[in-house]
Amino acid sequence: DDEAVAWIAGAQPIAVTVVSDQPASYGPLLSQDPGIQATFVSPKNYSPGREQVLIFDRVLPASPAKVPALFVAPPAEPPIQTRSGLVSGPTLAETSPDLISGVDLRSMTFDFPRRYAAKDLTAVATGDDGTPLIYVHEEPDQRFVLFTFSVTDSKLMFAPGFPALMGNALDWLAHPAPGGTRKPGPATLTGAVQSIVGPDGKPVPVSHIDGVSLAKLNRVGFYTATSGGATSVIAVNAGDPEISDLQRTRLPQATRADASSSSRARPWWLYAAIGALLLLAAEWFTWQRRLTV
């Protein structure tokens, strides 16, 4: 328990591929962010690669994306495909991500928002008239965000709140489990975490209840959580006094007794210090009585 681990998620850039006929609309925003490694391709030249997040601008892939995706004003027909089929049925995660945290929606103008079938989509942001602006979909093997508005239909790239909105969306897509450090024991993770691998490389059982994922992270070290093609690293440290108790040991009883007896033996300097204090006290006493000068 004299070791600690930490994971800085922002130190590793998110590999993002933008599939668009007008990549210049995203270049100034994504290329200047040190936390993003952006690649731009046209729809006809796109082929799956090693990206962590995909951005489809007004187009849809031929098959469901294998990694988390951001759909920007996609065509309504054909409908977006999910792993379980077309957009229908309830989503697994009942808790919605807070994609508009720190975002001033009043600084942005959303022109010509599209309408989509919302049976399998969760609206996380709406306009003043109630029109959905942002949808999310999450299940263990698929997760995506849908913007009902197009970036090129308005001056969103110049709005102060739009970079924060894009940052929140990409961060949620790329990191299915919240970062930071945890203590060993039961853990509650938001979202539909599909699997968790422990520090020893063995899978950790995951249960899904009421839109959250439950797992026991009992070992100290790094855990890898996976959901919808995205992965997050969770650091677990023995920061609890009950866990990092120095009196607990796995040594055999005989070895434990020897260590206990050796720890009870007091060092020689302790007796020397006590003697020096006694001599100092005696000299002070005799000086007070004028017995010594």
Side-chain angles (χ1 to χ4, degrees):
D1 56 3
D2 58 348
E3 297 182 0
V5 296
W7 182 263
I8 304 175
Q12 184 177 7
I14 303 174
V16 178
T17 297
V18 181
V19 183
S20 174
D21 285 325
Q22 300 180 10
S25 302
Y26 298 87
L29 175 63
L30 301 181
S31 299
Q32 298 179 13
D33 190 340
I36 296 176
Q37 184 179 357
T39 303
F40 305 90
V41 297
S42 63
K44 62 180 181 180
N45 294 329
Y46 165 71
S47 60
R50 296 183 178 180
E51 60 270 351
Q52 296 173 266
V53 176
L54 282 164
I55 297 179
F56 291 97
D57 180 31
R58 294 166 297 167
V59 295
L60 286 175
S63 59
K66 296 182 179 180
V67 297
L70 168 61
F71 298 110
V72 180
E77 294 294 338
I80 299 175
Q81 296 183 19
T82 63
R83 297 295 186 190
S84 57
L86 299 180
V87 176
S88 62
T91 181
L92 176 62
E94 296 179 0
T95 57
S96 301
D98 188 8
L99 299 185
I100 60 175
S101 176
V103 179
D104 185 6
L105 294 178
R106 295 172 296 180
S107 67
M108 294 178 279
T109 301
F110 303 95
D111 296 331
F112 312 111
R114 281 75 167 170
R115 294 186 178 273
Y116 299 90
K119 293 182 180 180
D120 203 19
L121 302 175
T122 303
V124 296
T126 58
D128 295 336
D129 58 353
T131 302
L133 299 175
I134 304 174
Y135 288 109
V136 296
H137 172 83
E138 182 182 18
E139 52 186 312
D141 54 356
Q142 188 183 39
R143 59 199 280 121
F144 62 79
V145 176
L146 189 154
F147 289 172
T148 64
F149 49 88
S150 174
V151 175
T152 58
D153 289 343
S154 58
K155 298 181 180 180
L156 285 176
M157 284 298 177
F158 302 98
F162 189 69
L165 176 61
M166 285 290 293
N168 289 349
L170 295 178
D171 183 70
W172 179 79
L173 289 170
H175 304 120
T181 59
R182 295 175 176 267
K183 297 178 182 179
T188 301
L189 306 175
T190 59
V193 174
Q194 182 181 10
S195 62
I196 298 178
V197 178
D200 54 358
K202 298 180 180 180
V204 177
V206 181
S207 302
H208 302 285
I209 302 176
D210 294 334
V212 298
S213 301
L214 306 177
K216 290 184 177 181
L217 311 181
N218 294 327
R219 296 175 61 92
V220 174
F222 293 118
Y223 292 77
T224 302
T226 304
S227 177
T231 60
S232 290
V233 177
I234 304 173
V236 175
N237 290 310
D240 193 334
E242 295 182 359
I243 298 174
S244 58
D245 188 355
L246 297 179
Q247 296 182 354
R248 292 186 179 182
T249 179
R250 296 181 180 178
L251 296 175
Q253 184 66 31
T255 306
R256 190 185 314 174
D258 294 341
S260 177
S261 60
S262 62
S263 63
R264 287 195 296 267
R266 294 182 175 83
W268 62 269
W269 59 264
L270 181 60
Y271 298 100
I274 294 175
L277 290 175
L278 292 176
L279 290 176
L280 182 62
E283 183 178 357
W284 178 84
F285 177 79
T286 57
W287 180 79
Q288 291 287 339
R289 296 291 181 176
R290 296 294 188 271
L291 300 177
T292 59
V293 178

